Amino acid sequence: IRHELEHISQFQRGYIFPKEPERPIDFYLQRHELEAQVAGFKRRARKEGRKLEDVIREWFQENKKYHRLKSSEIERVIEKLLEI
């Protein structure tokens, strides 16, 4: 839910969302998507009293069949998420 609330906030601040990319890696590396992912992951990490990186890695591991990313792409996205 926090992830989607971030997208609403982005829209209210005037962000123009681009057309959704075809490749999953390109989708996950969009700035607005990274920001929304981090917002959701931070909320979950605080709620569960866990490290942000652990929450992120667990989510990508548990949702492999949904995000359709290769292992190397997952690492690239995680690096970007942790930079925010």
Side-chain angles (χ1 to χ4, degrees), residues 8 10 14 20 22-23 26 29 39 45 47-49 54-55 59 61 64 67 71 73-74:
I8 292 169
Q10 291 166 334
E20 189 169 314
E22 290 183 30
R23 295 181 344 149
D26 295 333
L29 290 177
K47 183 179 177 193
E48 296 176 6
D54 293 344
V55 169
W59 186 88
Q61 182 64 34
K64 277 186 176 183
H67 54 64
S71 295
E73 293 172 329
I74 291 171

Side-chain angles (χ1 to χ4, degrees), residues 40-77:
F41 288 138
K42 282 184 176 180
R43 164 84 168 70
R44 183 173 170 188
R46 278 191 307 270
K47 183 179 177 193
E48 296 176 6
R50 298 174 55 205
K51 292 180 181 179
L52 178 62
E53 183 173 354
D54 293 344
V55 169
I56 292 171
R57 289 188 180 282
E58 180 182 274
W59 186 88
F60 277 98
Q61 182 64 34
E62 290 177 352
N63 293 282
K64 277 186 176 183
K65 63 182 176 183
Y66 300 115
H67 54 64
R68 302 179 337 234
L69 295 171
K70 299 173 189 170
S71 295
S72 61
E73 293 172 329
I74 291 171
E75 285 305 313
R76 192 167 151 208
V77 172

